[in-house]
Coordinates of all heavy atoms in Angstrom, one line a residue:
E92 N -45.7 36.8 -137.8 CA -45.2 37.3 -139.0 C -43.7 37.5 -138.9 O -42.9 37.4 -139.8 CB -45.9 38.7 -139.2 CG -45.5 39.4 -140.4 CD -46.3 40.6 -140.7 OE1 -47.5 40.7 -140.3 OE2 -45.6 41.6 -141.2
S98 N -36.5 39.3 -141.6 CA -36.5 40.4 -140.7 C -36.1 41.8 -141.4 O -35.5 41.7 -142.5 CB -35.4 40.2 -139.6 OG -34.2 40.0 -140.1
G103 N -34.9 49.5 -143.0 CA -36.1 49.0 -143.7 C -35.9 48.0 -144.7 O -36.9 47.6 -145.3
R110 N -30.3 34.8 -139.6 CA -31.2 34.0 -138.7 C -31.7 35.0 -137.6 O -31.0 36.0 -137.3 CB -30.5 32.8 -138.1 CG -29.9 31.8 -139.0 CD -30.9 30.7 -139.3 NE -31.8 30.4 -138.3 CZ -32.0 29.1 -137.9 NH1 -31.2 28.1 -138.3 NH2 -32.9 29.0 -136.9
M115 N -39.1 36.1 -125.6 CA -40.3 36.5 -124.9 C -40.0 36.4 -123.4 O -39.9 35.3 -122.8 CB -41.5 35.7 -125.3 CG -41.9 35.8 -126.9 SD -43.3 35.2 -127.2 CE -44.4 35.9 -126.3
E117 N -41.1 37.2 -119.3 CA -42.3 37.3 -118.5 C -43.5 36.5 -119.1 O -44.7 37.1 -119.0 CB -42.6 38.7 -118.1 CG -41.4 39.4 -117.5 CD -41.2 38.9 -115.9 OE1 -42.2 38.4 -115.4 OE2 -40.2 39.1 -115.4
A123 N -55.4 37.0 -118.9 CA -56.5 36.4 -119.8 C -56.9 37.3 -120.9 O -57.3 37.0 -121.9 CB -57.8 36.2 -118.9
R126 N -54.2 38.7 -126.2 CA -54.6 38.0 -127.2 C -53.8 36.8 -127.6 O -52.6 37.0 -127.8 CB -54.6 39.0 -128.5 CG -55.7 40.0 -128.3 CD -56.0 40.7 -129.5 NE -54.9 41.7 -129.9 CZ -54.8 42.5 -130.8 NH1 -55.7 42.5 -131.7 NH2 -53.7 43.3 -130.9
A137 N -44.7 26.0 -132.4 CA -44.8 24.7 -133.1 C -44.7 24.9 -134.7 O -44.1 24.1 -135.4 CB -46.2 24.1 -132.9
P142 N -36.1 30.0 -133.8 CA -36.2 29.7 -132.4 C -36.9 30.7 -131.6 O -36.8 31.9 -131.9 CB -34.8 29.5 -131.9 CG -33.9 30.0 -133.0 CD -34.7 30.2 -134.2
V143 N -37.7 30.3 -130.7 CA -38.4 31.2 -129.7 C -38.0 30.9 -128.3 O -38.1 29.7 -127.9 CB -39.9 31.1 -129.9 CG1 -40.6 32.0 -128.9 CG2 -40.4 31.3 -131.3
L158 N -47.5 25.7 -123.3 CA -46.2 26.0 -123.7 C -45.3 24.7 -123.2 O -44.3 24.5 -124.0 CB -45.6 27.3 -123.0 CG -46.1 28.6 -123.6 CD1 -45.6 29.7 -122.7 CD2 -45.7 28.7 -125.0
K159 N -45.7 24.0 -122.3 CA -44.9 23.0 -121.8 C -44.9 21.8 -122.9 O -43.9 21.0 -122.8 CB -45.4 22.5 -120.5 CG -45.2 23.4 -119.3 CD -45.9 22.9 -118.1 CE -45.7 23.8 -116.9 NZ -46.3 23.4 -115.6
V161 N -44.5 22.2 -126.1 CA -43.7 22.6 -127.2 C -42.3 23.3 -126.8 O -41.6 23.6 -127.7 CB -44.4 23.6 -128.2 CG1 -45.6 22.9 -128.8 CG2 -44.8 24.9 -127.5
R169 N -29.6 31.0 -109.5 CA -28.9 32.1 -109.1 C -27.5 31.8 -108.7 O -27.3 30.9 -107.8 CB -29.7 32.9 -108.1 CG -29.0 34.3 -107.8 CD -30.0 35.2 -107.1 NE -31.1 35.5 -107.9 CZ -32.1 36.4 -107.6 NH1 -32.1 37.0 -106.5 NH2 -33.0 36.5 -108.5
A176 N -19.1 37.9 -106.4 CA -18.0 38.7 -105.9 C -16.8 38.6 -106.8 O -16.1 39.6 -107.1 CB -17.7 38.4 -104.4
L182 N -14.1 42.3 -113.0 CA -14.5 43.4 -113.8 C -13.9 44.7 -113.3 O -13.4 45.6 -114.1 CB -16.0 43.6 -113.8 CG -16.7 42.5 -114.7 CD1 -18.3 42.5 -114.3 CD2 -16.5 42.6 -116.1
Q189 N -9.6 49.5 -107.9 CA -9.2 48.7 -106.8 C -10.3 48.5 -105.7 O -10.9 49.6 -105.3 CB -8.0 49.2 -105.9 CG -6.8 49.2 -106.8 CD -5.6 49.9 -106.1 OE1 -5.7 50.3 -104.9 NE2 -4.4 49.5 -106.6
A194 N -15.6 43.6 -99.0 CA -16.7 44.6 -99.3 C -17.5 44.0 -100.4 O -18.9 44.2 -100.5 CB -16.1 46.0 -99.5
Q208 N -28.0 43.8 -109.6 CA -28.2 44.9 -108.7 C -26.8 45.4 -108.1 O -26.9 46.4 -107.3 CB -29.0 44.4 -107.5 CG -30.4 44.0 -107.9 CD -31.3 43.6 -106.8 OE1 -31.1 44.0 -105.6 NE2 -32.3 42.7 -107.0

Side-chain angles (χ1 to χ4, degrees):
E92 186 176 322
S98 62
R110 300 272 329 235
M115 300 187 61
E117 301 288 340
R126 289 191 284 181
V143 179
L158 290 174
K159 291 178 185 178
V161 295
R169 186 166 290 190
L182 288 170
Q189 293 180 350
Q208 295 183 30

